[in-house]
Amino acid sequence: MPATQATVELFSSAKAGEVDALQRAFASGAAVDAVDEAGWSATMWAARYHHLAAVRALVALGANPALRNGLNHDALDISAQHYLEDRAAAFAVQEFLQADAGYQRQRAQLTARAQSLARALAREFKGRSRRQRIAYANSDYEVVAEVAGMRCSFRVFAGGFDLVVHNFRAGPLVASLHLERHDNAAAPKLWGAWKPWGNDAANLPLYYDADTTSIQAMQGLMANPQCRTALEQLALGRFEWLVWVPGHMRFRCQTEGLDLVRTRMAALASVFEHLSRPLPPPLFKARALQWGTAGDPGVHCWGGTPAQPIACPTCATPFSRLASFSVDDDLLHNLEWKHPSIEAACCFGCALPDTASLTCVSYTDTLPRVVVQTETLAASEAHVWQERRFTLGPIGTKGLGRRSRLGGEAAWLQSDATPDCPGCQQPMHFLAQLASSSKGPIGADGGMAYVFICQACHMVGTVVQSH
């Protein structure tokens, strides 16, 4: 049979786990490491459906088991992603690949390439490199640097990197430039033709289900000549993308050439300059939170119930109080707040435990009013933590945990999620962060709650993040 037909047969037999058929396809001229439109090889497809015999046969025929697809995943990664379909079969495939000398040798070579690129990026952008395995990007090294005001993390793998700009804040913009099925030359044409939800929407899809505000923000971006020029200079290629979500920007770069990397970083800096909005300065210097004592019980509270009841809009159960900060404290008495304390409260039963959620409560009226509640899951009962008092101490003391603090800057578990005030649409001021503890678990996997305020609108925002 023709070689192209033989390659088609190789893929179909690998997916079905038919060893005899794939061996015949190979004998007929099929390239054992050929990849399809998505960048998948026959070995990846065999691993995807947990066909151990097919994976063994392909490796015996000379297939490279460490080959990676466009998402930077190899056969072992793909098997691991789908292990719940058949645990025993998936684990058997993974054990075989981990024990294969060829796989380990190829994997070591890829790691060495990633290390070399990480060192080059660290020198170029005056950052620091470290060995860091990051599952999302399947990267081996991380380079942390500040480039043109952008707080950057390069998650480096062999052949490229995932770049995360942690302080990119573009308001309501939630969009994705995802051109993996088009070559570089097509990108400017696609951007020029793009219209939201029209026939060209598939060429420049929005991130998940974008709302009207996000579509308008994307239209404004495309109408900005400087941003448009910068996006064209990125020259996005196959299996590359640029994503904006609240709080950060992510860019997948599939190149090791520093000249192109410099051009692209300059383009991203231009987008950052025109779109990103700065955060307000810290309210005051950071202080650690520490439990009160008999001699000094403290004026701030952890846990308990809000001074005025707040009903959850989702499940109707009462809100739990995370913390209450007395404005009589010397550190807070200059804040413009008409109530005796600043209360952070939300429904921890409804907040999804393994993601990020935001709750905003307005204290302008006599009774508090919930104006924003995101990422909810209806709870069956309220969660109320035992009330305890705490005081403030110097950073570094154990207290409620070294990560819990009042003032300073937020130390995010995920990317920056500083909320805009629902009233004035301006970024809210960071007030405090409280780490999960035995006294009150927050989210999942050692989560963190971040408290923000808008003094002008008397608004309190609580952001919950988990690892």
Side-chain angles (χ1 to χ4, degrees), residues 136 172-178 194 196-197 201-202 204-212 214-215 218 241-246 248 250 355 375:
Y136 175 84
L173 181 59
V174 180
S176 172
L177 305 186
H178 192 66
W194 178 77
W197 308 121
L204 193 61
L206 292 170
Y207 190 76
Y208 294 122
D209 297 322
D211 57 17
T212 303
S214 186
I215 293 174
M218 189 64 178
W241 53 83
L242 179 65
V243 175
W244 294 280
V245 293
H248 77 274
R250 187 184 297 273
T355 182
E375 301 289 350

PDB file of all heavy atoms in Angstrom, residues 136 172-178 194 196-197 201-202 204-212 214-215 218 241-246 248 250 355 375:
ATOM      1  N   TYR A 136       1.078  21.851  34.417  1.00  0.00           N
ATOM      2  CA  TYR A 136       0.258  22.435  33.354  1.00  0.00           C
ATOM      3  C   TYR A 136       1.068  22.600  32.064  1.00  0.00           C
ATOM      4  O   TYR A 136       0.626  22.249  30.984  1.00  0.00           O
ATOM      5  CB  TYR A 136      -0.297  23.789  33.792  1.00  0.00           C
ATOM      6  CG  TYR A 136      -1.066  24.497  32.691  1.00  0.00           C
ATOM      7  CD1 TYR A 136      -2.403  24.205  32.466  1.00  0.00           C
ATOM      8  CD2 TYR A 136      -0.447  25.433  31.868  1.00  0.00           C
ATOM      9  CE1 TYR A 136      -3.104  24.828  31.455  1.00  0.00           C
ATOM     10  CE2 TYR A 136      -1.137  26.057  30.852  1.00  0.00           C
ATOM     11  CZ  TYR A 136      -2.470  25.762  30.649  1.00  0.00           C
ATOM     12  OH  TYR A 136      -3.155  26.375  29.645  1.00  0.00           O
ATOM     13  N   PRO A 172     -12.109  43.698  32.316  1.00  0.00           N
ATOM     14  CA  PRO A 172     -13.020  42.611  31.965  1.00  0.00           C
ATOM     15  C   PRO A 172     -12.545  41.733  30.816  1.00  0.00           C
ATOM     16  O   PRO A 172     -13.255  40.838  30.404  1.00  0.00           O
ATOM     17  CB  PRO A 172     -14.292  43.376  31.546  1.00  0.00           C
ATOM     18  CG  PRO A 172     -13.777  44.655  30.969  1.00  0.00           C
ATOM     19  CD  PRO A 172     -12.560  45.002  31.792  1.00  0.00           C
ATOM     20  N   LEU A 173     -11.352  41.995  30.260  1.00  0.00           N
ATOM     21  CA  LEU A 173     -10.909  41.253  29.091  1.00  0.00           C
ATOM     22  C   LEU A 173     -10.654  39.789  29.428  1.00  0.00           C
ATOM     23  O   LEU A 173      -9.808  39.453  30.242  1.00  0.00           O
ATOM     24  CB  LEU A 173      -9.628  41.887  28.523  1.00  0.00           C
ATOM     25  CG  LEU A 173      -9.057  41.221  27.268  1.00  0.00           C
ATOM     26  CD1 LEU A 173     -10.086  41.254  26.145  1.00  0.00           C
ATOM     27  CD2 LEU A 173      -7.785  41.915  26.844  1.00  0.00           C
ATOM     28  N   VAL A 174     -11.395  38.900  28.795  1.00  0.00           N
ATOM     29  CA  VAL A 174     -11.198  37.460  28.926  1.00  0.00           C
ATOM     30  C   VAL A 174     -11.211  36.905  27.514  1.00  0.00           C
ATOM     31  O   VAL A 174     -12.269  36.775  26.902  1.00  0.00           O
ATOM     32  CB  VAL A 174     -12.304  36.795  29.768  1.00  0.00           C
ATOM     33  CG1 VAL A 174     -12.057  35.291  29.880  1.00  0.00           C
ATOM     34  CG2 VAL A 174     -12.390  37.436  31.140  1.00  0.00           C
ATOM     35  N   ALA A 175     -10.057  36.633  26.956  1.00  0.00           N
ATOM     36  CA  ALA A 175      -9.997  36.238  25.553  1.00  0.00           C
ATOM     37  C   ALA A 175      -8.813  35.332  25.303  1.00  0.00           C
ATOM     38  O   ALA A 175      -7.885  35.242  26.100  1.00  0.00           O
ATOM     39  CB  ALA A 175      -9.904  37.481  24.657  1.00  0.00           C
ATOM     40  N   SER A 176      -8.859  34.655  24.161  1.00  0.00           N
ATOM     41  CA  SER A 176      -7.775  33.744  23.792  1.00  0.00           C
ATOM     42  C   SER A 176      -7.500  33.862  22.307  1.00  0.00           C
ATOM     43  O   SER A 176      -8.412  33.751  21.489  1.00  0.00           O
ATOM     44  CB  SER A 176      -8.164  32.299  24.138  1.00  0.00           C
ATOM     45  OG  SER A 176      -7.210  31.403  23.621  1.00  0.00           O
ATOM     46  N   LEU A 177      -6.235  34.119  21.961  1.00  0.00           N
ATOM     47  CA  LEU A 177      -5.796  34.020  20.566  1.00  0.00           C
ATOM     48  C   LEU A 177      -5.203  32.624  20.423  1.00  0.00           C
ATOM     49  O   LEU A 177      -4.142  32.334  20.961  1.00  0.00           O
ATOM     50  CB  LEU A 177      -4.735  35.081  20.252  1.00  0.00           C
ATOM     51  CG  LEU A 177      -5.108  36.540  20.546  1.00  0.00           C
ATOM     52  CD1 LEU A 177      -4.017  37.467  20.041  1.00  0.00           C
ATOM     53  CD2 LEU A 177      -6.425  36.903  19.892  1.00  0.00           C
ATOM     54  N   HIS A 178      -5.903  31.766  19.719  1.00  0.00           N
ATOM     55  CA  HIS A 178      -5.537  30.358  19.685  1.00  0.00           C
ATOM     56  C   HIS A 178      -5.494  29.928  18.222  1.00  0.00           C
ATOM     57  O   HIS A 178      -6.505  29.581  17.635  1.00  0.00           O
ATOM     58  CB  HIS A 178      -6.592  29.557  20.454  1.00  0.00           C
ATOM     59  CG  HIS A 178      -6.183  28.143  20.741  1.00  0.00           C
ATOM     60  ND1 HIS A 178      -5.146  27.818  21.576  1.00  0.00           N
ATOM     61  CD2 HIS A 178      -6.680  26.959  20.291  1.00  0.00           C
ATOM     62  CE1 HIS A 178      -5.027  26.496  21.646  1.00  0.00           C
ATOM     63  NE2 HIS A 178      -5.941  25.961  20.875  1.00  0.00           N
ATOM     64  N   TRP A 194     -11.586  39.098  11.880  1.00  0.00           N
ATOM     65  CA  TRP A 194     -12.333  38.609  13.034  1.00  0.00           C
ATOM     66  C   TRP A 194     -13.523  39.487  13.387  1.00  0.00           C
ATOM     67  O   TRP A 194     -13.440  40.699  13.438  1.00  0.00           O
ATOM     68  CB  TRP A 194     -11.411  38.511  14.235  1.00  0.00           C
ATOM     69  CG  TRP A 194     -12.125  38.047  15.472  1.00  0.00           C
ATOM     70  CD1 TRP A 194     -12.501  36.778  15.763  1.00  0.00           C
ATOM     71  CD2 TRP A 194     -12.565  38.848  16.561  1.00  0.00           C
ATOM     72  NE1 TRP A 194     -13.132  36.720  16.985  1.00  0.00           N
ATOM     73  CE2 TRP A 194     -13.193  37.987  17.496  1.00  0.00           C
ATOM     74  CE3 TRP A 194     -12.490  40.207  16.851  1.00  0.00           C
ATOM     75  CZ2 TRP A 194     -13.727  38.440  18.676  1.00  0.00           C
ATOM     76  CZ3 TRP A 194     -13.031  40.645  18.032  1.00  0.00           C
ATOM     77  CH2 TRP A 194     -13.641  39.773  18.932  1.00  0.00           C
ATOM     78  N   PRO A 196     -16.852  39.180  16.365  1.00  0.00           N
ATOM     79  CA  PRO A 196     -17.382  38.334  17.447  1.00  0.00           C
ATOM     80  C   PRO A 196     -18.627  37.574  17.019  1.00  0.00           C
ATOM     81  O   PRO A 196     -19.553  38.148  16.456  1.00  0.00           O
ATOM     82  CB  PRO A 196     -17.678  39.339  18.567  1.00  0.00           C
ATOM     83  CG  PRO A 196     -17.837  40.649  17.874  1.00  0.00           C
ATOM     84  CD  PRO A 196     -16.905  40.604  16.698  1.00  0.00           C
ATOM     85  N   TRP A 197     -18.598  36.273  17.266  1.00  0.00           N
ATOM     86  CA  TRP A 197     -19.717  35.372  17.018  1.00  0.00           C
ATOM     87  C   TRP A 197     -20.095  35.228  15.544  1.00  0.00           C
ATOM     88  O   TRP A 197     -21.041  34.554  15.217  1.00  0.00           O
ATOM     89  CB  TRP A 197     -20.963  35.810  17.800  1.00  0.00           C
ATOM     90  CG  TRP A 197     -20.717  36.021  19.242  1.00  0.00           C
ATOM     91  CD1 TRP A 197     -20.913  37.177  19.935  1.00  0.00           C
ATOM     92  CD2 TRP A 197     -20.194  35.088  20.178  1.00  0.00           C
ATOM     93  NE1 TRP A 197     -20.549  37.021  21.245  1.00  0.00           N
ATOM     94  CE2 TRP A 197     -20.097  35.739  21.431  1.00  0.00           C
ATOM     95  CE3 TRP A 197     -19.781  33.762  20.111  1.00  0.00           C
ATOM     96  CZ2 TRP A 197     -19.645  35.115  22.571  1.00  0.00           C
ATOM     97  CZ3 TRP A 197     -19.320  33.156  21.250  1.00  0.00           C
ATOM     98  CH2 TRP A 197     -19.254  33.835  22.453  1.00  0.00           C
ATOM     99  N   ALA A 201     -15.560  33.651  13.881  1.00  0.00           N
ATOM    100  CA  ALA A 201     -15.299  33.521  15.316  1.00  0.00           C
ATOM    101  C   ALA A 201     -14.413  32.319  15.625  1.00  0.00           C
ATOM    102  O   ALA A 201     -13.616  32.346  16.547  1.00  0.00           O
ATOM    103  CB  ALA A 201     -16.619  33.408  16.084  1.00  0.00           C
ATOM    104  N   ALA A 202     -14.518  31.267  14.798  1.00  0.00           N
ATOM    105  CA  ALA A 202     -13.703  30.078  15.058  1.00  0.00           C
ATOM    106  C   ALA A 202     -12.222  30.344  14.831  1.00  0.00           C
ATOM    107  O   ALA A 202     -11.366  29.646  15.351  1.00  0.00           O
ATOM    108  CB  ALA A 202     -14.163  28.934  14.164  1.00  0.00           C
ATOM    109  N   LEU A 204     -10.662  33.051  15.743  1.00  0.00           N
ATOM    110  CA  LEU A 204     -10.123  33.762  16.905  1.00  0.00           C
ATOM    111  C   LEU A 204     -11.088  33.565  18.067  1.00  0.00           C
ATOM    112  O   LEU A 204     -11.781  34.483  18.467  1.00  0.00           O
ATOM    113  CB  LEU A 204      -9.972  35.237  16.579  1.00  0.00           C
ATOM    114  CG  LEU A 204      -9.139  36.058  17.579  1.00  0.00           C
ATOM    115  CD1 LEU A 204      -7.722  35.547  17.662  1.00  0.00           C
ATOM    116  CD2 LEU A 204      -9.138  37.509  17.177  1.00  0.00           C
ATOM    117  N   PRO A 205     -11.175  32.362  18.610  1.00  0.00           N
ATOM    118  CA  PRO A 205     -12.213  32.077  19.608  1.00  0.00           C
ATOM    119  C   PRO A 205     -11.981  32.813  20.906  1.00  0.00           C
ATOM    120  O   PRO A 205     -10.857  33.023  21.317  1.00  0.00           O
ATOM    121  CB  PRO A 205     -12.090  30.565  19.813  1.00  0.00           C
ATOM    122  CG  PRO A 205     -10.664  30.268  19.455  1.00  0.00           C
ATOM    123  CD  PRO A 205     -10.312  31.218  18.365  1.00  0.00           C
ATOM    124  N   LEU A 206     -13.064  33.195  21.531  1.00  0.00           N
ATOM    125  CA  LEU A 206     -12.988  33.793  22.856  1.00  0.00           C
ATOM    126  C   LEU A 206     -12.838  32.699  23.891  1.00  0.00           C
ATOM    127  O   LEU A 206     -13.179  31.542  23.661  1.00  0.00           O
ATOM    128  CB  LEU A 206     -14.236  34.628  23.134  1.00  0.00           C
ATOM    129  CG  LEU A 206     -14.369  35.890  22.276  1.00  0.00           C
ATOM    130  CD1 LEU A 206     -15.737  36.501  22.470  1.00  0.00           C
ATOM    131  CD2 LEU A 206     -13.293  36.888  22.633  1.00  0.00           C
ATOM    132  N   TYR A 207     -12.314  33.077  25.029  1.00  0.00           N
ATOM    133  CA  TYR A 207     -12.026  32.123  26.095  1.00  0.00           C
ATOM    134  C   TYR A 207     -13.318  31.656  26.750  1.00  0.00           C
ATOM    135  O   TYR A 207     -14.028  32.433  27.379  1.00  0.00           O
ATOM    136  CB  TYR A 207     -11.112  32.803  27.111  1.00  0.00           C
ATOM    137  CG  TYR A 207     -10.523  31.891  28.153  1.00  0.00           C
ATOM    138  CD1 TYR A 207      -9.488  31.041  27.833  1.00  0.00           C
ATOM    139  CD2 TYR A 207     -10.995  31.894  29.451  1.00  0.00           C
ATOM    140  CE1 TYR A 207      -8.921  30.215  28.783  1.00  0.00           C
ATOM    141  CE2 TYR A 207     -10.444  31.079  30.416  1.00  0.00           C
ATOM    142  CZ  TYR A 207      -9.403  30.240  30.065  1.00  0.00           C
ATOM    143  OH  TYR A 207      -8.850  29.429  31.014  1.00  0.00           O
ATOM    144  N   TYR A 208     -13.632  30.360  26.609  1.00  0.00           N
ATOM    145  CA  TYR A 208     -14.877  29.790  27.123  1.00  0.00           C
ATOM    146  C   TYR A 208     -16.074  30.605  26.625  1.00  0.00           C
ATOM    147  O   TYR A 208     -16.129  31.007  25.472  1.00  0.00           O
ATOM    148  CB  TYR A 208     -14.850  29.696  28.647  1.00  0.00           C
ATOM    149  CG  TYR A 208     -13.818  28.723  29.157  1.00  0.00           C
ATOM    150  CD1 TYR A 208     -12.816  29.136  30.018  1.00  0.00           C
ATOM    151  CD2 TYR A 208     -13.835  27.396  28.756  1.00  0.00           C
ATOM    152  CE1 TYR A 208     -11.867  28.231  30.483  1.00  0.00           C
ATOM    153  CE2 TYR A 208     -12.890  26.500  29.203  1.00  0.00           C
ATOM    154  CZ  TYR A 208     -11.913  26.917  30.061  1.00  0.00           C
ATOM    155  OH  TYR A 208     -10.984  26.043  30.508  1.00  0.00           O
ATOM    156  N   ASP A 209     -17.036  30.859  27.491  1.00  0.00           N
ATOM    157  CA  ASP A 209     -18.239  31.586  27.087  1.00  0.00           C
ATOM    158  C   ASP A 209     -18.091  33.045  27.516  1.00  0.00           C
ATOM    159  O   ASP A 209     -18.453  33.418  28.625  1.00  0.00           O
ATOM    160  CB  ASP A 209     -19.489  30.968  27.717  1.00  0.00           C
ATOM    161  CG  ASP A 209     -19.713  29.538  27.251  1.00  0.00           C
ATOM    162  OD1 ASP A 209     -19.456  29.289  26.064  1.00  0.00           O
ATOM    163  OD2 ASP A 209     -20.133  28.701  28.058  1.00  0.00           O
ATOM    164  N   ALA A 210     -17.558  33.854  26.618  1.00  0.00           N
ATOM    165  CA  ALA A 210     -17.309  35.250  26.954  1.00  0.00           C
ATOM    166  C   ALA A 210     -18.626  36.015  27.041  1.00  0.00           C
ATOM    167  O   ALA A 210     -19.546  35.792  26.261  1.00  0.00           O
ATOM    168  CB  ALA A 210     -16.413  35.885  25.904  1.00  0.00           C
ATOM    169  N   ASP A 211     -18.689  36.933  28.002  1.00  0.00           N
ATOM    170  CA  ASP A 211     -19.887  37.751  28.124  1.00  0.00           C
ATOM    171  C   ASP A 211     -19.738  39.002  27.252  1.00  0.00           C
ATOM    172  O   ASP A 211     -18.725  39.236  26.610  1.00  0.00           O
ATOM    173  CB  ASP A 211     -20.159  38.122  29.579  1.00  0.00           C
ATOM    174  CG  ASP A 211     -18.962  38.853  30.208  1.00  0.00           C
ATOM    175  OD1 ASP A 211     -18.090  39.337  29.463  1.00  0.00           O
ATOM    176  OD2 ASP A 211     -18.912  38.924  31.444  1.00  0.00           O
ATOM    177  N   THR A 212     -20.798  39.812  27.239  1.00  0.00           N
ATOM    178  CA  THR A 212     -20.803  41.000  26.390  1.00  0.00           C
ATOM    179  C   THR A 212     -19.675  41.956  26.753  1.00  0.00           C
ATOM    180  O   THR A 212     -19.034  42.538  25.886  1.00  0.00           O
ATOM    181  CB  THR A 212     -22.163  41.722  26.522  1.00  0.00           C
ATOM    182  OG1 THR A 212     -23.205  40.820  26.171  1.00  0.00           O
ATOM    183  CG2 THR A 212     -22.203  42.932  25.596  1.00  0.00           C
ATOM    184  N   SER A 214     -16.738  41.288  27.944  1.00  0.00           N
ATOM    185  CA  SER A 214     -15.464  40.779  27.442  1.00  0.00           C
ATOM    186  C   SER A 214     -15.356  40.956  25.935  1.00  0.00           C
ATOM    187  O   SER A 214     -14.293  41.278  25.407  1.00  0.00           O
ATOM    188  CB  SER A 214     -15.298  39.310  27.812  1.00  0.00           C
ATOM    189  OG  SER A 214     -14.018  38.851  27.442  1.00  0.00           O
ATOM    190  N   ILE A 215     -16.451  40.740  25.235  1.00  0.00           N
ATOM    191  CA  ILE A 215     -16.437  40.935  23.781  1.00  0.00           C
ATOM    192  C   ILE A 215     -16.135  42.388  23.449  1.00  0.00           C
ATOM    193  O   ILE A 215     -15.335  42.700  22.553  1.00  0.00           O
ATOM    194  CB  ILE A 215     -17.792  40.513  23.180  1.00  0.00           C
ATOM    195  CG1 ILE A 215     -17.986  38.999  23.334  1.00  0.00           C
ATOM    196  CG2 ILE A 215     -17.866  40.908  21.709  1.00  0.00           C
ATOM    197  CD1 ILE A 215     -19.345  38.522  22.912  1.00  0.00           C
ATOM    198  N   MET A 218     -12.515  43.051  23.941  1.00  0.00           N
ATOM    199  CA  MET A 218     -11.727  42.484  22.851  1.00  0.00           C
ATOM    200  C   MET A 218     -11.825  43.367  21.612  1.00  0.00           C
ATOM    201  O   MET A 218     -10.832  43.583  20.899  1.00  0.00           O
ATOM    202  CB  MET A 218     -12.233  41.078  22.530  1.00  0.00           C
ATOM    203  CG  MET A 218     -11.351  40.308  21.561  1.00  0.00           C
ATOM    204  SD  MET A 218      -9.712  39.989  22.241  1.00  0.00           S
ATOM    205  CE  MET A 218      -8.986  39.038  20.911  1.00  0.00           C
ATOM    206  N   TRP A 241      -0.259  30.096  21.614  1.00  0.00           N
ATOM    207  CA  TRP A 241      -1.468  30.854  21.938  1.00  0.00           C
ATOM    208  C   TRP A 241      -1.139  31.966  22.930  1.00  0.00           C
ATOM    209  O   TRP A 241      -0.102  31.972  23.585  1.00  0.00           O
ATOM    210  CB  TRP A 241      -2.558  29.949  22.512  1.00  0.00           C
ATOM    211  CG  TRP A 241      -2.132  29.120  23.675  1.00  0.00           C
ATOM    212  CD1 TRP A 241      -2.058  29.479  24.980  1.00  0.00           C
ATOM    213  CD2 TRP A 241      -1.694  27.759  23.624  1.00  0.00           C
ATOM    214  NE1 TRP A 241      -1.617  28.446  25.760  1.00  0.00           N
ATOM    215  CE2 TRP A 241      -1.370  27.368  24.952  1.00  0.00           C
ATOM    216  CE3 TRP A 241      -1.538  26.838  22.595  1.00  0.00           C
ATOM    217  CZ2 TRP A 241      -0.926  26.097  25.265  1.00  0.00           C
ATOM    218  CZ3 TRP A 241      -1.092  25.577  22.915  1.00  0.00           C
ATOM    219  CH2 TRP A 241      -0.788  25.213  24.232  1.00  0.00           C
ATOM    220  N   LEU A 242      -2.062  32.904  22.987  1.00  0.00           N
ATOM    221  CA  LEU A 242      -1.977  34.020  23.926  1.00  0.00           C
ATOM    222  C   LEU A 242      -3.325  34.125  24.615  1.00  0.00           C
ATOM    223  O   LEU A 242      -4.356  34.228  23.942  1.00  0.00           O
ATOM    224  CB  LEU A 242      -1.646  35.316  23.185  1.00  0.00           C
ATOM    225  CG  LEU A 242      -1.535  36.590  24.019  1.00  0.00           C
ATOM    226  CD1 LEU A 242      -0.355  36.509  24.976  1.00  0.00           C
ATOM    227  CD2 LEU A 242      -1.371  37.795  23.112  1.00  0.00           C
ATOM    228  N   VAL A 243      -3.320  34.074  25.931  1.00  0.00           N
ATOM    229  CA  VAL A 243      -4.569  34.055  26.687  1.00  0.00           C
ATOM    230  C   VAL A 243      -4.569  35.176  27.716  1.00  0.00           C
ATOM    231  O   VAL A 243      -3.581  35.380  28.428  1.00  0.00           O
ATOM    232  CB  VAL A 243      -4.760  32.700  27.402  1.00  0.00           C
ATOM    233  CG1 VAL A 243      -6.008  32.717  28.280  1.00  0.00           C
ATOM    234  CG2 VAL A 243      -4.857  31.570  26.377  1.00  0.00           C
ATOM    235  N   TRP A 244      -5.664  35.911  27.773  1.00  0.00           N
ATOM    236  CA  TRP A 244      -5.884  36.889  28.841  1.00  0.00           C
ATOM    237  C   TRP A 244      -7.019  36.386  29.719  1.00  0.00           C
ATOM    238  O   TRP A 244      -8.090  36.040  29.227  1.00  0.00           O
ATOM    239  CB  TRP A 244      -6.308  38.244  28.277  1.00  0.00           C
ATOM    240  CG  TRP A 244      -5.295  38.952  27.457  1.00  0.00           C
ATOM    241  CD1 TRP A 244      -4.237  39.686  27.904  1.00  0.00           C
ATOM    242  CD2 TRP A 244      -5.249  39.035  26.026  1.00  0.00           C
ATOM    243  NE1 TRP A 244      -3.531  40.200  26.842  1.00  0.00           N
ATOM    244  CE2 TRP A 244      -4.129  39.828  25.684  1.00  0.00           C
ATOM    245  CE3 TRP A 244      -6.032  38.517  24.998  1.00  0.00           C
ATOM    246  CZ2 TRP A 244      -3.779  40.114  24.369  1.00  0.00           C
ATOM    247  CZ3 TRP A 244      -5.695  38.784  23.690  1.00  0.00           C
ATOM    248  CH2 TRP A 244      -4.583  39.578  23.392  1.00  0.00           C
ATOM    249  N   VAL A 245      -6.794  36.358  31.007  1.00  0.00           N
ATOM    250  CA  VAL A 245      -7.864  36.114  31.969  1.00  0.00           C
ATOM    251  C   VAL A 245      -7.663  37.110  33.102  1.00  0.00           C
ATOM    252  O   VAL A 245      -6.587  37.706  33.209  1.00  0.00           O
ATOM    253  CB  VAL A 245      -7.846  34.667  32.506  1.00  0.00           C
ATOM    254  CG1 VAL A 245      -8.188  33.672  31.413  1.00  0.00           C
ATOM    255  CG2 VAL A 245      -6.504  34.327  33.116  1.00  0.00           C
ATOM    256  N   PRO A 246      -8.667  37.322  33.942  1.00  0.00           N
ATOM    257  CA  PRO A 246      -8.491  38.317  35.004  1.00  0.00           C
ATOM    258  C   PRO A 246      -7.243  38.042  35.843  1.00  0.00           C
ATOM    259  O   PRO A 246      -7.084  36.973  36.420  1.00  0.00           O
ATOM    260  CB  PRO A 246      -9.776  38.153  35.830  1.00  0.00           C
ATOM    261  CG  PRO A 246     -10.777  37.665  34.842  1.00  0.00           C
ATOM    262  CD  PRO A 246     -10.022  36.765  33.913  1.00  0.00           C
ATOM    263  N   HIS A 248      -3.940  37.810  34.911  1.00  0.00           N
ATOM    264  CA  HIS A 248      -2.676  37.424  34.300  1.00  0.00           C
ATOM    265  C   HIS A 248      -2.828  37.187  32.797  1.00  0.00           C
ATOM    266  O   HIS A 248      -3.930  37.072  32.259  1.00  0.00           O
ATOM    267  CB  HIS A 248      -2.082  36.201  34.981  1.00  0.00           C
ATOM    268  CG  HIS A 248      -2.719  34.892  34.609  1.00  0.00           C
ATOM    269  ND1 HIS A 248      -3.833  34.405  35.230  1.00  0.00           N
ATOM    270  CD2 HIS A 248      -2.369  33.968  33.680  1.00  0.00           C
ATOM    271  CE1 HIS A 248      -4.155  33.239  34.704  1.00  0.00           C
ATOM    272  NE2 HIS A 248      -3.284  32.941  33.753  1.00  0.00           N
ATOM    273  N   ARG A 250      -1.072  34.705  29.682  1.00  0.00           N
ATOM    274  CA  ARG A 250      -0.292  33.494  29.442  1.00  0.00           C
ATOM    275  C   ARG A 250       0.030  33.390  27.949  1.00  0.00           C
ATOM    276  O   ARG A 250      -0.845  33.590  27.100  1.00  0.00           O
ATOM    277  CB  ARG A 250      -1.068  32.257  29.895  1.00  0.00           C
ATOM    278  CG  ARG A 250      -0.250  30.968  29.832  1.00  0.00           C
ATOM    279  CD  ARG A 250      -1.122  29.776  30.209  1.00  0.00           C
ATOM    280  NE  ARG A 250      -1.596  29.865  31.572  1.00  0.00           N
ATOM    281  CZ  ARG A 250      -0.934  29.428  32.623  1.00  0.00           C
ATOM    282  NH1 ARG A 250       0.251  28.877  32.478  1.00  0.00           N
ATOM    283  NH2 ARG A 250      -1.446  29.542  33.836  1.00  0.00           N
ATOM    284  N   THR A 355     -11.001  25.861  43.460  1.00  0.00           N
ATOM    285  CA  THR A 355     -10.845  26.878  42.434  1.00  0.00           C
ATOM    286  C   THR A 355     -10.724  28.236  43.118  1.00  0.00           C
ATOM    287  O   THR A 355     -10.371  28.328  44.283  1.00  0.00           O
ATOM    288  CB  THR A 355     -12.034  26.833  41.456  1.00  0.00           C
ATOM    289  OG1 THR A 355     -11.841  27.806  40.429  1.00  0.00           O
ATOM    290  CG2 THR A 355     -13.350  27.113  42.164  1.00  0.00           C
ATOM    291  N   GLU A 375     -18.429  31.496  41.215  1.00  0.00           N
ATOM    292  CA  GLU A 375     -17.972  30.112  41.415  1.00  0.00           C
ATOM    293  C   GLU A 375     -18.685  29.456  42.587  1.00  0.00           C
ATOM    294  O   GLU A 375     -18.086  29.068  43.580  1.00  0.00           O
ATOM    295  CB  GLU A 375     -16.450  30.080  41.651  1.00  0.00           C
ATOM    296  CG  GLU A 375     -15.630  30.651  40.523  1.00  0.00           C
ATOM    297  CD  GLU A 375     -15.641  29.771  39.292  1.00  0.00           C
ATOM    298  OE1 GLU A 375     -16.132  28.639  39.377  1.00  0.00           O
ATOM    299  OE2 GLU A 375     -15.169  30.210  38.251  1.00  0.00           O
TER     300      GLU A 375
END
